[in-house]
Amino acid sequence: MPGITRKRDDKSWIYYDPAGKKITIKQEITRLNTLAFPPAYKDVWLCPEENGHILATGYDTKGRKQYLYHPEFREQ
């Protein structure tokens, strides 16, 4: 599924929806910031759905793919 991407802008992130349009809705930006995916991760994909079982993926500095799962999915 196409997802949200991010780019660094000074001290904050700019998020782009799957179509490449900049996300400006404060509530959505806050949700994405609370995922707290490490800034060093590359090629980060963020789930456009709040309740997706995988909330984010990205590659660490060693090139390993890392996943951030929804808390309820981890419980199962």
Side-chain angles (χ1 to χ4, degrees):
M1 162 192 294
I4 296 169
T5 57
R6 68 180 187 180
K7 290 186 181 178
R8 193 74 164 159
D9 180 40
D10 293 325
K11 296 180 180 180
S12 63
W13 293 105
I14 297 175
Y15 297 100
Y16 298 90
D17 68 15
K21 184 179 173 193
K22 183 178 175 181
I23 296 173
T24 58
I25 301 167
K26 298 273 186 201
Q27 191 175 23
E28 181 67 359
I29 293 169
T30 300
R31 178 185 81 85
L32 296 167
N33 284 333
T34 59
L35 294 177
F37 218 56
Y41 285 9
K42 304 289 183 202
D43 298 323
V44 172
W45 171 92
L46 301 156
C47 185
E49 304 285 331
E50 219 175 297
N51 61 349
H53 73 279
I54 298 175
L55 295 177
T57 65
Y59 292 88
D60 65 16
T61 56
K62 293 186 178 183
R64 299 172 296 200
K65 191 170 187 178
Q66 302 294 323
Y67 295 84
L68 177 64
Y69 294 99
H70 193 284
E72 291 177 12
F73 180 75
R74 283 194 320 239
E75 287 178 16
Q76 292 178 11

